[in-house]
Amino acid sequence: MPRDHRPAKSVRVLLAEDQGMMRGALALLLGMEPDLEVVAQVGRGDEIVGTALTARPDVALLDIELPGMSGLDAAAELRDEVPNCRVLILTTFGRPGYLRRAMEAGAAGFLVKDGPVEDLAEAIRKALRGETVIDPGLAAAALSAGPNPLTARERDALGASVDGATIADIAAKLHLSESTVRNYLSSAIGKTGTRNRMEAVREARQQGWL
């Protein structure tokens, strides 16, 4: 619809998606809704808050797995830095652990990408009205899966374990002693029911705990 046919007050949307084609398609489809306006697009998680401070969106639509910073971490920062902006998580990965983390970060909704754009547009409107919008199947899975068993420090240690990092590397990055790092990793391995930290990382990611 032409811009001059929009309502006087459109819903301002920020879109964060690292795949350029997907980002462009979403922006185009949402822009066809008469009451929605995509005012900013970013491809990195660490660009979200700065862009939101400038563009002042009403709703931020965030992917989870973004370079620089995850959409979940960005959602938590938006809650503090741009409190009037409602956040919707839109992801390919409908993992129960991700849903719980999104809610903890203050997100107003959690949707998977395989739904119709009409549902997404309506979710944006609902979020702006103060409603919480969650994919029903994912909500049921999250309830049955239970809470994340990993502590924040155990998640930090696992997250720093990627790319072949040594215990010394992890300790330096987290400003912890090597023995403390070993304890966190050992605990995480036990809680994930795996044999080593690489398996623990994979399992934690699969569950959406990391």
Side-chain angles (χ1 to χ4, degrees), residues 22 25-26 29-30 33 36 61 88 90-91 111-125 133 135-136:
M22 172 68 76
L26 279 173
L29 291 169
L30 291 174
E33 296 291 322
L36 304 182
L61 191 60
L88 286 175
L90 180 66
T91 181
L111 303 167
V112 291
K113 291 180 180 177
D114 58 2
V117 70
E118 292 82 5
D119 289 355
L120 177 58
E122 186 57 27
I124 291 172
R125 298 180 187 108
V133 187
D135 178 88

Side-chain angles (χ1 to χ4, degrees), residues 91-104:
T91 181
T92 305
F93 305 103
R95 297 169 181 165
Y98 280 164
L99 171 57
R100 286 182 174 275
R101 289 172 60 196
M103 296 300 101
E104 290 170 0

Side-chain angles (χ1 to χ4, degrees), residues 12-16 23 27 37-42 51-52 55 57:
R12 297 168 61 82
V13 179
L14 179 150
L15 181 58
R23 185 171 66 247
E37 180 182 8
V38 178
V39 296
Q41 302 178 45
V42 299
T51 302

Side-chain angles (χ1 to χ4, degrees), residues 30-117:
L30 291 174
M32 295 173 68
E33 296 291 322
D35 58 336
L36 304 182
E37 180 182 8
V38 178
V39 296
Q41 302 178 45
V42 299
R44 293 180 57 88
D46 51 10
E47 296 174 347
I48 291 171
V49 173
T51 302
L53 286 168
T54 301
R56 291 294 171 180
D58 300 306
V59 176
L61 191 60
L62 311 182
D63 192 8
I64 290 180
E65 298 194 351
L66 295 167
M69 176 184 290
S70 77
L72 296 174
D73 291 334
E77 288 198 7
L78 279 174
R79 177 186 56 196
D80 297 332
E81 299 293 332
V82 194
N84 291 330
C85 178
R86 301 282 283 172
V87 174
L88 286 175
I89 299 295
L90 180 66
T91 181
T92 305
F93 305 103
R95 297 169 181 165
Y98 280 164
L99 171 57
R100 286 182 174 275
R101 289 172 60 196
M103 296 300 101
E104 290 170 0
F110 192 104
L111 303 167
V112 291
K113 291 180 180 177
D114 58 2
V117 70

